[in-house]
PDB file of all heavy atoms in Angstrom:
ATOM      1  N   MET I 278      65.738 -36.259 264.700  1.00  0.00           N
ATOM      2  CA  MET I 278      64.847 -37.133 265.460  1.00  0.00           C
ATOM      3  C   MET I 278      63.780 -37.630 264.495  1.00  0.00           C
ATOM      4  O   MET I 278      63.095 -36.831 263.848  1.00  0.00           O
ATOM      5  CB  MET I 278      64.233 -36.372 266.651  1.00  0.00           C
ATOM      6  CG  MET I 278      63.326 -37.211 267.520  1.00  0.00           C
ATOM      7  SD  MET I 278      62.978 -36.464 269.142  1.00  0.00           S
ATOM      8  CE  MET I 278      62.649 -34.749 268.715  1.00  0.00           C
ATOM      9  N   LEU I 279      63.616 -38.934 264.411  1.00  0.00           N
ATOM     10  CA  LEU I 279      62.778 -39.538 263.374  1.00  0.00           C
ATOM     11  C   LEU I 279      61.349 -39.815 263.819  1.00  0.00           C
ATOM     12  O   LEU I 279      60.497 -40.121 262.991  1.00  0.00           O
ATOM     13  CB  LEU I 279      63.426 -40.833 262.880  1.00  0.00           C
ATOM     14  CG  LEU I 279      64.863 -40.698 262.353  1.00  0.00           C
ATOM     15  CD1 LEU I 279      65.421 -42.063 261.977  1.00  0.00           C
ATOM     16  CD2 LEU I 279      64.909 -39.746 261.174  1.00  0.00           C
ATOM     17  N   GLY I 280      61.088 -39.732 265.113  1.00  0.00           N
ATOM     18  CA  GLY I 280      59.738 -40.009 265.598  1.00  0.00           C
ATOM     19  C   GLY I 280      59.783 -40.454 267.043  1.00  0.00           C
ATOM     20  O   GLY I 280      60.790 -40.316 267.738  1.00  0.00           O
ATOM     21  N   LEU I 281      58.661 -41.011 267.513  1.00  0.00           N
ATOM     22  CA  LEU I 281      58.544 -41.521 268.875  1.00  0.00           C
ATOM     23  C   LEU I 281      57.957 -42.924 268.835  1.00  0.00           C
ATOM     24  O   LEU I 281      57.218 -43.279 267.908  1.00  0.00           O
ATOM     25  CB  LEU I 281      57.639 -40.618 269.721  1.00  0.00           C
ATOM     26  CG  LEU I 281      58.080 -39.183 269.977  1.00  0.00           C
ATOM     27  CD1 LEU I 281      56.994 -38.432 270.758  1.00  0.00           C
ATOM     28  CD2 LEU I 281      59.397 -39.145 270.732  1.00  0.00           C
ATOM     29  N   THR I 282      58.276 -43.702 269.865  1.00  0.00           N
ATOM     30  CA  THR I 282      57.670 -45.020 270.014  1.00  0.00           C
ATOM     31  C   THR I 282      56.940 -45.106 271.347  1.00  0.00           C
ATOM     32  O   THR I 282      57.317 -44.444 272.325  1.00  0.00           O
ATOM     33  CB  THR I 282      58.720 -46.147 269.943  1.00  0.00           C
ATOM     34  OG1 THR I 282      59.640 -46.015 271.048  1.00  0.00           O
ATOM     35  CG2 THR I 282      59.492 -46.097 268.635  1.00  0.00           C
ATOM     36  N   ILE I 327      57.986 -44.391 276.594  1.00  0.00           N
ATOM     37  CA  ILE I 327      58.088 -43.422 275.493  1.00  0.00           C
ATOM     38  C   ILE I 327      59.555 -43.272 275.134  1.00  0.00           C
ATOM     39  O   ILE I 327      60.394 -43.034 276.002  1.00  0.00           O
ATOM     40  CB  ILE I 327      57.521 -42.042 275.898  1.00  0.00           C
ATOM     41  CG1 ILE I 327      56.063 -42.157 276.367  1.00  0.00           C
ATOM     42  CG2 ILE I 327      57.658 -41.058 274.738  1.00  0.00           C
ATOM     43  CD1 ILE I 327      55.080 -42.460 275.272  1.00  0.00           C
ATOM     44  N   ASP I 328      59.871 -43.409 273.855  1.00  0.00           N
ATOM     45  CA  ASP I 328      61.267 -43.291 273.432  1.00  0.00           C
ATOM     46  C   ASP I 328      61.346 -42.512 272.124  1.00  0.00           C
ATOM     47  O   ASP I 328      60.509 -42.697 271.224  1.00  0.00           O
ATOM     48  CB  ASP I 328      61.883 -44.682 273.243  1.00  0.00           C
ATOM     49  CG  ASP I 328      63.405 -44.650 273.258  1.00  0.00           C
ATOM     50  OD1 ASP I 328      63.974 -43.560 273.485  1.00  0.00           O
ATOM     51  OD2 ASP I 328      64.020 -45.716 273.044  1.00  0.00           O
ATOM     52  N   ALA I 329      62.336 -41.647 272.044  1.00  0.00           N
ATOM     53  CA  ALA I 329      62.583 -40.898 270.812  1.00  0.00           C
ATOM     54  C   ALA I 329      63.446 -41.726 269.878  1.00  0.00           C
ATOM     55  O   ALA I 329      64.407 -42.372 270.314  1.00  0.00           O
ATOM     56  CB  ALA I 329      63.269 -39.574 271.129  1.00  0.00           C
ATOM     57  N   ILE I 330      63.112 -41.721 268.601  1.00  0.00           N
ATOM     58  CA  ILE I 330      63.889 -42.444 267.591  1.00  0.00           C
ATOM     59  C   ILE I 330      64.999 -41.515 267.106  1.00  0.00           C
ATOM     60  O   ILE I 330      64.751 -40.569 266.351  1.00  0.00           O
ATOM     61  CB  ILE I 330      62.998 -42.901 266.420  1.00  0.00           C
ATOM     62  CG1 ILE I 330      61.809 -43.722 266.933  1.00  0.00           C
ATOM     63  CG2 ILE I 330      63.810 -43.716 265.418  1.00  0.00           C
ATOM     64  CD1 ILE I 330      60.794 -44.053 265.853  1.00  0.00           C
ATOM     65  N   ILE I 331      66.211 -41.783 267.557  1.00  0.00           N
ATOM     66  CA  ILE I 331      67.345 -40.905 267.286  1.00  0.00           C
ATOM     67  C   ILE I 331      68.481 -41.731 266.711  1.00  0.00           C
ATOM     68  O   ILE I 331      68.892 -42.728 267.317  1.00  0.00           O
ATOM     69  CB  ILE I 331      67.814 -40.204 268.580  1.00  0.00           C
ATOM     70  CG1 ILE I 331      66.647 -39.429 269.210  1.00  0.00           C
ATOM     71  CG2 ILE I 331      68.986 -39.274 268.306  1.00  0.00           C
ATOM     72  CD1 ILE I 331      66.940 -38.913 270.602  1.00  0.00           C
ATOM     73  N   VAL I 353      67.578 -35.008 275.147  1.00  0.00           N
ATOM     74  CA  VAL I 353      66.182 -34.920 274.741  1.00  0.00           C
ATOM     75  C   VAL I 353      65.334 -34.593 275.960  1.00  0.00           C
ATOM     76  O   VAL I 353      65.533 -35.135 277.047  1.00  0.00           O
ATOM     77  CB  VAL I 353      65.700 -36.230 274.061  1.00  0.00           C
ATOM     78  CG1 VAL I 353      65.837 -37.424 274.984  1.00  0.00           C
ATOM     79  CG2 VAL I 353      64.278 -36.092 273.545  1.00  0.00           C
ATOM     80  N   TYR I 355      61.352 -34.477 277.322  1.00  0.00           N
ATOM     81  CA  TYR I 355      60.019 -35.006 277.070  1.00  0.00           C
ATOM     82  C   TYR I 355      58.983 -34.181 277.843  1.00  0.00           C
ATOM     83  O   TYR I 355      59.227 -33.765 278.983  1.00  0.00           O
ATOM     84  CB  TYR I 355      59.916 -36.457 277.526  1.00  0.00           C
ATOM     85  CG  TYR I 355      60.761 -37.439 276.749  1.00  0.00           C
ATOM     86  CD1 TYR I 355      62.028 -37.798 277.206  1.00  0.00           C
ATOM     87  CD2 TYR I 355      60.291 -38.030 275.578  1.00  0.00           C
ATOM     88  CE1 TYR I 355      62.801 -38.716 276.511  1.00  0.00           C
ATOM     89  CE2 TYR I 355      61.057 -38.947 274.884  1.00  0.00           C
ATOM     90  CZ  TYR I 355      62.315 -39.286 275.347  1.00  0.00           C
ATOM     91  OH  TYR I 355      63.077 -40.203 274.647  1.00  0.00           O
ATOM     92  N   VAL I 369      71.474 -38.085 275.466  1.00  0.00           N
ATOM     93  CA  VAL I 369      71.499 -38.934 274.272  1.00  0.00           C
ATOM     94  C   VAL I 369      72.920 -39.219 273.822  1.00  0.00           C
ATOM     95  O   VAL I 369      73.264 -40.330 273.447  1.00  0.00           O
ATOM     96  CB  VAL I 369      70.695 -38.278 273.132  1.00  0.00           C
ATOM     97  CG1 VAL I 369      70.840 -39.068 271.831  1.00  0.00           C
ATOM     98  CG2 VAL I 369      69.230 -38.152 273.505  1.00  0.00           C
ATOM     99  N   TYR I 376      77.277 -41.814 271.768  1.00  0.00           N
ATOM    100  CA  TYR I 376      75.847 -42.143 271.795  1.00  0.00           C
ATOM    101  C   TYR I 376      75.496 -43.070 272.946  1.00  0.00           C
ATOM    102  O   TYR I 376      76.184 -44.061 273.217  1.00  0.00           O
ATOM    103  CB  TYR I 376      75.471 -42.798 270.466  1.00  0.00           C
ATOM    104  CG  TYR I 376      73.995 -43.095 270.304  1.00  0.00           C
ATOM    105  CD1 TYR I 376      73.094 -42.087 269.998  1.00  0.00           C
ATOM    106  CD2 TYR I 376      73.519 -44.399 270.434  1.00  0.00           C
ATOM    107  CE1 TYR I 376      71.742 -42.367 269.824  1.00  0.00           C
ATOM    108  CE2 TYR I 376      72.178 -44.691 270.254  1.00  0.00           C
ATOM    109  CZ  TYR I 376      71.294 -43.669 269.960  1.00  0.00           C
ATOM    110  OH  TYR I 376      69.962 -43.953 269.800  1.00  0.00           O
ATOM    111  N   HIS I 380      67.517 -43.767 276.311  1.00  0.00           N
ATOM    112  CA  HIS I 380      67.033 -42.404 276.555  1.00  0.00           C
ATOM    113  C   HIS I 380      65.506 -42.377 276.577  1.00  0.00           C
ATOM    114  O   HIS I 380      64.882 -41.389 276.194  1.00  0.00           O
ATOM    115  CB  HIS I 380      67.586 -41.424 275.518  1.00  0.00           C
ATOM    116  CG  HIS I 380      67.644 -41.962 274.118  1.00  0.00           C
ATOM    117  ND1 HIS I 380      66.513 -42.190 273.357  1.00  0.00           N
ATOM    118  CD2 HIS I 380      68.692 -42.334 273.359  1.00  0.00           C
ATOM    119  CE1 HIS I 380      66.876 -42.666 272.178  1.00  0.00           C
ATOM    120  NE2 HIS I 380      68.185 -42.759 272.146  1.00  0.00           N
ATOM    121  N   ALA I 381      64.905 -43.470 277.031  1.00  0.00           N
ATOM    122  CA  ALA I 381      63.446 -43.564 277.123  1.00  0.00           C
ATOM    123  C   ALA I 381      62.964 -43.091 278.489  1.00  0.00           C
ATOM    124  O   ALA I 381      63.733 -42.998 279.453  1.00  0.00           O
ATOM    125  CB  ALA I 381      62.998 -45.000 276.874  1.00  0.00           C
ATOM    126  N   ALA I 397      58.622 -34.322 272.279  1.00  0.00           N
ATOM    127  CA  ALA I 397      60.047 -34.552 272.518  1.00  0.00           C
ATOM    128  C   ALA I 397      60.830 -33.451 271.819  1.00  0.00           C
ATOM    129  O   ALA I 397      60.578 -33.138 270.650  1.00  0.00           O
ATOM    130  CB  ALA I 397      60.479 -35.920 272.008  1.00  0.00           C
ATOM    131  N   LEU I 399      64.701 -32.439 270.955  1.00  0.00           N
ATOM    132  CA  LEU I 399      66.090 -32.881 270.885  1.00  0.00           C
ATOM    133  C   LEU I 399      66.976 -31.645 270.716  1.00  0.00           C
ATOM    134  O   LEU I 399      66.747 -30.833 269.819  1.00  0.00           O
ATOM    135  CB  LEU I 399      66.273 -33.848 269.722  1.00  0.00           C
ATOM    136  CG  LEU I 399      67.630 -34.536 269.590  1.00  0.00           C
ATOM    137  CD1 LEU I 399      67.892 -35.457 270.776  1.00  0.00           C
ATOM    138  CD2 LEU I 399      67.712 -35.324 268.282  1.00  0.00           C
TER     139      LEU I 399
END
Side-chain angles (χ1 to χ4, degrees):
M278 182 164 44
L279 304 176
L281 296 176
T282 63
I327 303 289
D328 199 4
I330 305 173
I331 303 170
V353 59
Y355 294 95
V369 174
Y376 185 77
H380 40 71
L399 187 65

